[in-house]
PDB file of all heavy atoms in Angstrom:
ATOM      1  N   PHE A1096     -29.821  12.487  17.246  1.00 98.00           N
ATOM      2  CA  PHE A1096     -30.597  12.119  16.057  1.00 98.00           C
ATOM      3  C   PHE A1096     -29.988  10.984  15.248  1.00 98.00           C
ATOM      4  O   PHE A1096     -30.212  10.878  14.038  1.00 98.00           O
ATOM      5  CB  PHE A1096     -30.813  13.353  15.177  1.00 98.00           C
ATOM      6  CG  PHE A1096     -31.502  14.472  15.894  1.00 98.00           C
ATOM      7  CD1 PHE A1096     -30.967  15.754  15.899  1.00 98.00           C
ATOM      8  CD2 PHE A1096     -32.690  14.249  16.577  1.00 98.00           C
ATOM      9  CE1 PHE A1096     -31.597  16.789  16.568  1.00 98.00           C
ATOM     10  CE2 PHE A1096     -33.335  15.275  17.254  1.00 98.00           C
ATOM     11  CZ  PHE A1096     -32.783  16.551  17.259  1.00 98.00           C
ATOM     12  N   TYR A1154     -34.234  16.458  10.820  1.00 98.00           N
ATOM     13  CA  TYR A1154     -33.837  15.047  10.773  1.00 98.00           C
ATOM     14  C   TYR A1154     -35.071  14.162  10.668  1.00 98.00           C
ATOM     15  O   TYR A1154     -36.109  14.475  11.272  1.00 98.00           O
ATOM     16  CB  TYR A1154     -33.097  14.643  12.051  1.00 98.00           C
ATOM     17  CG  TYR A1154     -31.701  15.186  12.168  1.00 98.00           C
ATOM     18  CD1 TYR A1154     -31.476  16.444  12.711  1.00 98.00           C
ATOM     19  CD2 TYR A1154     -30.615  14.431  11.746  1.00 98.00           C
ATOM     20  CE1 TYR A1154     -30.187  16.948  12.825  1.00 98.00           C
ATOM     21  CE2 TYR A1154     -29.327  14.916  11.865  1.00 98.00           C
ATOM     22  CZ  TYR A1154     -29.120  16.170  12.403  1.00 98.00           C
ATOM     23  OH  TYR A1154     -27.850  16.670  12.512  1.00 98.00           O
ATOM     24  N   TYR A1193     -30.109  24.292  12.253  1.00 98.00           N
ATOM     25  CA  TYR A1193     -31.325  24.031  13.042  1.00 98.00           C
ATOM     26  C   TYR A1193     -31.097  24.462  14.484  1.00 98.00           C
ATOM     27  O   TYR A1193     -29.964  24.481  14.967  1.00 98.00           O
ATOM     28  CB  TYR A1193     -31.730  22.554  12.961  1.00 98.00           C
ATOM     29  CG  TYR A1193     -30.717  21.563  13.492  1.00 98.00           C
ATOM     30  CD1 TYR A1193     -30.657  21.236  14.843  1.00 98.00           C
ATOM     31  CD2 TYR A1193     -29.824  20.944  12.635  1.00 98.00           C
ATOM     32  CE1 TYR A1193     -29.741  20.321  15.325  1.00 98.00           C
ATOM     33  CE2 TYR A1193     -28.898  20.024  13.098  1.00 98.00           C
ATOM     34  CZ  TYR A1193     -28.866  19.712  14.444  1.00 98.00           C
ATOM     35  OH  TYR A1193     -27.951  18.817  14.910  1.00 98.00           O
ATOM     36  N   ARG A1201     -27.331  25.317  15.456  1.00 98.00           N
ATOM     37  CA  ARG A1201     -26.233  24.493  14.950  1.00 98.00           C
ATOM     38  C   ARG A1201     -25.924  24.874  13.503  1.00 98.00           C
ATOM     39  O   ARG A1201     -26.815  25.027  12.671  1.00 98.00           O
ATOM     40  CB  ARG A1201     -26.604  22.992  14.969  1.00 98.00           C
ATOM     41  CG  ARG A1201     -26.891  22.386  16.290  1.00 98.00           C
ATOM     42  CD  ARG A1201     -25.746  21.810  17.101  1.00 98.00           C
ATOM     43  NE  ARG A1201     -24.398  21.929  16.645  1.00 98.00           N
ATOM     44  CZ  ARG A1201     -23.644  20.921  16.211  1.00 98.00           C
ATOM     45  NH1 ARG A1201     -24.124  19.704  16.157  1.00 98.00           N
ATOM     46  NH2 ARG A1201     -22.387  21.120  15.848  1.00 98.00           N
ATOM     47  N   HIS A1204     -23.863  20.704   9.245  1.00 98.00           N
ATOM     48  CA  HIS A1204     -22.864  19.682   9.561  1.00 98.00           C
ATOM     49  C   HIS A1204     -23.393  18.320   9.152  1.00 98.00           C
ATOM     50  O   HIS A1204     -24.610  18.127   9.012  1.00 98.00           O
ATOM     51  CB  HIS A1204     -22.528  19.678  11.068  1.00 98.00           C
ATOM     52  CG  HIS A1204     -23.707  19.391  11.936  1.00 98.00           C
ATOM     53  ND1 HIS A1204     -24.614  20.363  12.294  1.00 98.00           N
ATOM     54  CD2 HIS A1204     -24.179  18.244  12.479  1.00 98.00           C
ATOM     55  CE1 HIS A1204     -25.563  19.828  13.036  1.00 98.00           C
ATOM     56  NE2 HIS A1204     -25.331  18.526  13.153  1.00 98.00           N
ATOM     57  N   HIS A1206     -22.987  14.257  10.334  1.00 98.00           N
ATOM     58  CA  HIS A1206     -22.477  13.323  11.336  1.00 98.00           C
ATOM     59  C   HIS A1206     -21.800  12.151  10.635  1.00 98.00           C
ATOM     60  O   HIS A1206     -22.327  11.627   9.650  1.00 98.00           O
ATOM     61  CB  HIS A1206     -23.628  12.787  12.190  1.00 98.00           C
ATOM     62  CG  HIS A1206     -24.297  13.841  13.007  1.00 98.00           C
ATOM     63  ND1 HIS A1206     -23.974  14.074  14.325  1.00 98.00           N
ATOM     64  CD2 HIS A1206     -25.270  14.730  12.688  1.00 98.00           C
ATOM     65  CE1 HIS A1206     -24.724  15.065  14.783  1.00 98.00           C
ATOM     66  NE2 HIS A1206     -25.517  15.479  13.809  1.00 98.00           N
ATOM     67  N   GLN A1220     -18.285  14.997  13.631  1.00 98.00           N
ATOM     68  CA  GLN A1220     -19.147  15.828  12.805  1.00 98.00           C
ATOM     69  C   GLN A1220     -18.267  16.637  11.861  1.00 98.00           C
ATOM     70  O   GLN A1220     -17.244  17.173  12.281  1.00 98.00           O
ATOM     71  CB  GLN A1220     -20.001  16.770  13.670  1.00 98.00           C
ATOM     72  CG  GLN A1220     -20.915  16.014  14.630  1.00 98.00           C
ATOM     73  CD  GLN A1220     -21.808  16.920  15.461  1.00 98.00           C
ATOM     74  OE1 GLN A1220     -22.096  18.051  15.094  1.00 98.00           O
ATOM     75  NE2 GLN A1220     -22.261  16.406  16.598  1.00 98.00           N
TER      76      GLN A1220
HETATM   77 FE1  LIG B1735     -26.739  17.217  14.047  1.00 78.88          FE
END
Side-chain angles (χ1 to χ4, degrees):
F1096 303 128
Y1154 287 87
Y1193 61 85
R1201 298 272 4 249
H1204 60 278
H1206 295 264
Q1220 299 182 23

